[in-house]
Amino acid sequence: MSLLGGQARQLRLALLQAPDHSLGRVVAMLDGLQDRSVIDQVLDSVRPRLRRLAPARPLRLSRLLFLPLDTVIDPPSGWRPGSQRIPRSAIAPIADLVSATLPRLAEEIAAAALGHSHEDHAVVAALGARLWPAAGVLAHTQMPRGWVAAGLPASAAAPVLGLCTAIWRHAVPLWQARAAALAGTTDALALARAALAPLVAEGAGPLAAGLTLLLRASLTPGQVATLAASLSAQIHPLAERELTSMLAENAAAVAAATTAGEMAKAAALLARRLADLDVSDNAAVREARRRQAATLRRDTSQSCHAHFAGALVERLLMPAATAAAGPPAEDAVVTMLESAARDLRRLEAVGRRLGQESTFDSTLRDAVAQLRRLAATPGGLERIDIARLIEILAGPEAALATLEPAKPEPAKLEPAIAQR
Amino acid sequence: MLNMRSTVEGFAANLPERQASFAERGCAVSFTAPMLSGARLRRVSCGPAEIVLPALSGRGVYVMGWDACLLHCAPSLHDRQLWDRIASHERPTPALVRAAAREVARGGYAGRAAKAAVLVAIRQQEAVRDALRNSLAARLRPIGPGAAELVAPMVAILAQTGTGPGQLSDCEPSAAMPQAIVALEAFCGSIAAWSQVARTPTEQRGAAILLGAARLTLLLADASLQALWCLVADLLDRLVRGEARQEEVLPLLAELASRVEWVLDGWSMIETLWAAAGPAGRGAVLPEVVSLLPVPPLETEHWPGARPDWDTLLRTRRLVRPSPAWGSGSQVDLAERNEGLRCLAP
C-alpha cells in the first residue's frame, strides 16, 4: 500500500481526532498492512497516545527484533547521528538485513509469531531467545539495503547496527531482567545486575540502552539507576538523567489521563517508583532525588484530587441522582455507578499516598453526605444500591448508617489503612 | 498494609494442618472483604463462633472472634449481614452457611449480578426439590399415611445430593453435590493441562499439590455420594417392605448426606478463583489457591474406603509458600473480584 500525500494527511488527521477506543482498532488494521513505510510516518502523530493506551500490536519479525531496543528508538525527525540511539526509519532496512542473512530462521519466527502480539510474554521470550542471539552475530559493517532510501546517512549504518547487535547479544538476560522488573519480583535487581554487567564491556551506548530498557520497566528505578552507577561511573549522569526524565513522563501521564481508572493506574505506578528513590550511597544524589520526588508528589496529588473531585460529581453523584429520580434502575445502570465508584476509590487511595489527605477527606465526606440524602428517598435506586456506592467509596462503616435510617450518624470515613 | 499485617499476626494460632473433625475445621464462608477471603466459621464445644483465616506467612492460621474481625478485617456490608445470620447456629454446617449466603446476596449486598446469579441458583434448587418430592412421594405411597411425614424431611436432607441417576426418576434435575463433583473433575483437568505449561518449579509443585488434593477429595466425595445413593435405594425398599423404621432412616441419611457436603466444602471458592484468573493469571493466583486447600480432617480416616496420604501432600505444600491475596493486592480490586466469585458460585 502506498499513500499519496493528501491521503496520508487525511489519515493522520483522522487518527488524531479518533477517540481512544477507536484508535486501537485503527492501529490494529494498519498493523495488518505489509508495507509500513508510509504507515509509520502516519502513526508518528499518535505515538504518545499509543504509548499511553498500549494496544496489543501484532508480533512481527521486526517488532520482535527491536523490542529489546524499544526505549532507544527515536522518530526520524528527532534522531541525530552519533546519538547512540536508533531512528525508527532504520527498523525496516535492518529487519530486512536480518531476514536476508538468516532466511530460514526468519521464516520460522514469522510463522511462529503469527497470531500473537507483543504482549504474549512467553512467546516473545521464547522466539526472542532464538532470534536475538543469532542477529547479534551479524557483521555491522554491512550496509542494509534501503538505508539511504530511508533518508539515513550512510555513515550512520555501522554505529546503529553496532548498537543493535551489541544489545541482541545480551538481549536474552536483558529480557528476563525486564520481565522481573515489570513484575517486581524479589530477584529483579539480581537479574538486572546479571544483565547489565556484561554490557559494560560493550561500551556506553549499549549499556545506556540496556539500562533504559530496565529502568523504564522497573517498579524500583531508583535502585536500578544506583546499580548502573555502581557498574560504571561513566553511566551515572545518564542514569540519573534518564530516571528524572522517566519520572517526569510518568507524572505527565497522570496529568494527561482522561478517566479516573486510568489516572489511578498511572499514579499508582508513579507512587510505587517514587517510594524507592532514596536508595543511593551518594548524599547529593539522594537529596536531588528527594527534592524531585517531593515536587512530583505534590503536583501529582493535586492533579489526582482535581480529577477526583470533578469525576465524583460527573461520573457518580449526578448519574446517581438522575437514576434515583427515575424509574427503578436497570442492573446495567447500577453496575456502571459501582464501576465509577471503584475507579474513584482507586484514585482516592493512590492520591492519598501521594499527599492531600485532608483534601480527599473533605471531598469524600461531602460526597457521602449527598449520597445519604439520596438514600433517604431512594426512588429509582434501592437503598442497598446507595449503601453499596457509599461502601465502595468510603468503606463499610460509612455505609452502615445508610441502612439504619432510624439512627442517622454523622458522616464517618474509615481510615482506609488497607490501601496504604 | 504493614499495620494490618502486624496486627493480625497477633491472632496467629498453631492449629494442626489436619484438624480432628469437620466441626473444628469449620465451614467455608463466602465473605467478600479481601481480608476475609478464605475464611472459615467454626464453633468449638460451647464457645463463641470463631473465624479461621489462612495466615499471611503461609504457615498456620489466624483465629479471631467477630469483634476482632470488625476491628482489623474491614468486613463488608455483605459480610456483616452474613455473620448475623450464621453466627448464632450451634452447629454451623456448609448447607446452613450456603443458604444464609444466598439470602444475603438476594438482598443485593454483593451487587446486582450476584443477586441475579443467586435467584437462578435458587430456582434450580427448587426444581430439584420439587422433582425429589414427587419422586419420593410416589415411591413411598405404599407405606400409607406415614409417607407424607417422611417425604418433607427426606427432601430437606437430599436436596443437595439428589438420589442418584435413575434411582427414583429418569429425568430428575441434577442436584448441587453431583454438580460439584463434576466441577471438581473439570478443575482436575484444568490443573493437569496447566501444569504442562507451568513455567517455574514452584508453579509446577503448586499445580501438583492442587491436583493431588483435588483427586484425593474426589475419591472421598464420590465414595460418600455413592454410599448415600445406595443407602437411599436400600432404605426406600426396606421402608416399603416394612423392614426399616422411619425414625432410623432420617439420621442415617442425614449423616451420609452431610459427609458429601463437608468433604466438598471450600472447593467451589478454589475452582472459581482458578476459573476467574484465566490462563494468564493462574501463576499469580496459585499461592492463594494453595493456601485455601480444604484438608479433610482426621475423622475421615475412620470412613470406609482407601486412606489417602494427605501428610505427604501437606509436607510438599510447605515448600510453595501459600499466601492469601490481601497481603499484596489492591483491596478495591480484591473486593470486586470476591463479589465476582459470588456470581460464579452463587
Side-chain angles (χ1 to χ4, degrees):
Chain A
M1 176 183 175
S2 70
L3 293 170
L4 299 174
Q7 289 173 311
R9 263 198 308 281
Q10 281 177 8
L11 192 51
R12 200 176 295 133
L13 189 67
L15 280 174
L16 281 171
Q17 291 171 344
D20 286 353
H21 61 273
S22 305
L23 186 62
R25 285 206 300 274
V26 176
V27 170
M29 188 195 76
L30 295 176
D31 274 333
L33 300 173
Q34 282 301 315
D35 178 4
R36 299 184 49 87
S37 52
V38 180
I39 294 307
D40 276 337
Q41 294 169 25
V42 172
L43 288 181
D44 278 343
S45 59
V46 287
R47 283 200 196 280
R49 274 173 78 199
L50 284 180
R51 264 197 294 278
R52 180 169 62 80
L53 297 171
R57 314 286 300 274
L59 189 60
R60 297 166 175 279
L61 182 102
S62 57
R63 182 158 290 124
L64 177 64
L65 201 52
F66 281 87
L67 275 176
L69 289 149
D70 191 47
T71 51
V72 287
I73 293 171
D74 284 340
S77 55
W79 175 77
R80 296 286 172 270
S83 61
Q84 300 276 23
R85 296 180 68 84
I86 300 165
R88 187 171 297 281
S89 47
I91 291 178
I94 294 176
D96 288 347
L97 175 68
V98 172
S99 294
T101 314
L102 306 162
R104 193 159 168 187
L105 179 63
E107 264 179 37
E108 286 173 12
I109 298 276
L114 213 61
H116 292 286
S117 83
H118 79 288
E119 288 183 343
D120 296 331
H121 302 298
V123 178
V124 168
L127 296 183
R130 295 176 64 196
L131 178 64
W132 298 323
V137 295
L138 284 184
H140 51 78
T141 49
Q142 302 174 72
M143 168 70 74
R145 273 179 58 190
W147 182 266
V148 177
L152 296 164
S155 60
V160 168
L161 207 49
L163 174 61
C164 293
T165 50
I167 287 296
W168 289 332
R169 281 194 289 276
H170 304 283
V172 173
L174 263 175
W175 202 251
Q176 281 172 353
R178 180 186 175 274
L182 274 173
T185 55
T186 49
D187 58 353
L189 209 59
L191 287 171
R193 179 181 288 279
L196 291 177
L199 281 173
V200 176
E202 297 283 359
L207 178 59
L211 167 66
T212 317
L213 182 76
L214 297 189
L215 206 59
R216 290 193 171 257
S218 180
L219 299 175
T220 55
Q223 291 184 37
V224 175
T226 304
L227 163 69
S230 75
L231 292 172
S232 159
Q234 197 189 351
I235 203 80
H236 175 238
L238 183 133
E240 290 303 314
R241 234 183 5 256
E242 195 58 41
L243 179 63
T244 304
S245 140
M246 183 190 71
L247 293 172
E249 282 173 30
N250 286 168
V254 177
T258 52
T259 66
E262 194 189 314
M263 183 176 260
K265 209 169 162 188
L269 178 64
L270 177 65
R272 178 101 190 247
R273 286 177 164 167
L274 291 177
D276 105 301
L277 283 193
D278 284 351
V279 185
S280 172
D281 295 335
N282 185 325
V285 168
R286 248 192 341 261
E287 185 49 36
R289 287 184 184 180
R290 199 172 288 151
R291 273 202 306 275
Q292 190 201 9
T295 308
L296 291 177
R297 277 202 185 94
R298 187 196 61 221
D299 295 349
T300 310
S301 65
Q302 281 172 358
S303 298
C304 287
H305 181 263
H307 191 98
F308 177 76
L312 190 61
V313 174
E314 194 184 321
R315 309 272 302 166
L316 186 66
L317 296 178
M318 279 170 48
T322 307
E330 301 274 336
D331 289 355
V333 173
V334 177
T335 304
M336 192 187 67
L337 288 171
E338 290 187 355
S339 173
R342 281 195 188 92
D343 281 346
L344 286 163
R345 177 70 184 248
R346 290 182 183 106
L347 181 57
E348 179 254 5
V350 71
R352 279 175 187 277
R353 270 168 67 190
L354 290 162
Q356 306 273 325
E357 286 221 26
S358 57
T359 329
F360 277 108
D361 275 346
S362 147
T363 311
L364 205 47
R365 195 178 299 117
D366 291 347
V368 168
Q370 287 192 50
L371 286 170
R372 279 196 188 145
R373 278 198 289 279
L374 278 186
T377 48
L381 290 175
E382 292 175 28
R383 190 181 294 275
I384 181 63
D385 295 331
I386 297 174
R388 278 177 53 78
L389 291 178
I390 296 176
E391 178 181 32
I392 293 168
L393 206 56
E397 298 287 348
L400 275 176
T402 316
L403 295 172
E404 296 161 1
K407 294 181 283 181
E409 289 173 17
K412 189 168 83 178
L413 297 179
E414 74 172 20
I417 24 186
Q419 256 76 21
R420 280 171 240 148
Chain B
M1 185 67 75
L2 284 174
N3 288 343
M4 301 304 286
R5 189 182 287 253
S6 55
T7 312
V8 294
E9 288 299 343
F11 295 92
N14 194 20
L15 301 182
E17 281 176 293
R18 288 193 78 183
Q19 303 276 309
S21 65
F22 281 110
E24 280 182 30
R25 189 184 78 172
C27 312
V29 188
S30 49
F31 288 132
T32 57
M35 288 185 71
L36 292 175
S37 285
R40 284 182 174 273
L41 163 79
R42 70 175 200 169
R43 187 188 283 278
V44 183
S45 305
C46 298
E50 294 172 327
I51 294 288
V52 183
L53 292 168
L56 272 177
S57 63
R59 302 288 296 273
V61 290
Y62 306 130
V63 180
M64 320 171 91
W66 184 245
D67 286 344
C69 279
L70 287 172
L71 268 178
H72 305 300
C73 300
S76 62
L77 292 178
H78 165 277
D79 301 344
R80 292 162 200 248
Q81 287 285 328
L82 182 51
W83 177 261
D84 287 348
R85 284 168 164 80
I86 58 180
S88 56
H89 284 290
E90 267 182 39
R91 298 176 65 187
T93 64
L96 277 171
V97 171
R98 186 175 47 246
R102 283 183 174 174
E103 269 311 299
V104 175
R106 196 161 73 159
Y109 288 87
R112 293 269 183 116
K115 180 179 174 177
V118 156
L119 290 174
V120 171
I122 289 174
R123 275 200 294 276
Q124 282 175 349
Q125 189 180 306
E126 285 308 313
V128 173
R129 282 177 185 274
D130 288 346
L132 199 55
R133 192 177 295 112
N134 293 339
S135 306
L136 284 170
R139 188 77 174 77
L140 292 171
R141 197 165 295 130
I143 69 172
E149 285 173 27
L150 204 50
V151 168
M154 280 184 84
V155 169
I157 291 169
L158 299 172
Q160 301 299 324
T161 59
T163 54
Q167 293 281 16
L168 295 179
S169 159
D170 289 334
C171 55
E172 191 176 293
S174 187
M177 290 302 117
Q179 282 184 7
I181 288 181
V182 171
L184 191 53
E185 280 168 353
F187 175 70
C188 286
S190 175
I191 286 276
W194 184 78
S195 68
Q196 300 299 311
V197 294
R199 282 175 295 180
T200 65
T202 306
E203 285 183 352
Q204 287 158 2
R205 199 177 283 134
I209 292 164
L210 276 178
L211 187 57
R215 282 180 174 158
L216 292 181
T217 303
L218 265 178
L219 283 177
L220 209 53
D222 210 30
S224 303
L225 192 62
Q226 294 297 338
L228 171 72
W229 286 347
C230 289
L231 184 72
V232 170
D234 181 48
L235 283 177
L236 288 175
D237 284 343
R238 285 166 56 199
L239 278 168
V240 170
R241 291 200 303 267
E243 293 169 12
R245 286 181 301 162
Q246 293 184 11
E247 57 272 24
E248 290 170 352
V249 171
L250 295 178
L252 272 174
L253 289 179
E255 162 65 17
L256 271 187
S258 74
R259 282 186 181 183
V260 188
E261 291 243 17
W262 278 111
V263 169
L264 292 170
D265 183 41
W267 277 98
S268 74
M269 164 107 183
I270 290 179
E271 291 155 16
T272 49
L273 262 176
W274 186 254
R282 286 183 173 151
V285 85
L286 196 67
E288 181 181 9
V289 169
V290 173
S291 79
L292 299 176
L293 273 190
V295 182
L298 295 169
E299 73 173 86
T300 58
E301 299 281 314
H302 307 297
W303 293 1
R307 304 266 180 283
D309 184 6
W310 280 93
D311 293 333
T312 305
L313 203 70
L314 292 174
R315 271 199 298 278
T316 317
R317 182 167 75 156
R318 290 170 207 149
L319 303 174
V320 297
R321 298 182 62 78
S323 176
W326 67 265
S328 54
S330 145
Q331 306 300 292
V332 184
D333 294 345
L334 286 173
E336 186 180 13
R337 181 203 73 172
N338 289 349
E339 287 185 357
L341 298 182
R342 295 301 319 276
C343 304
L344 293 174

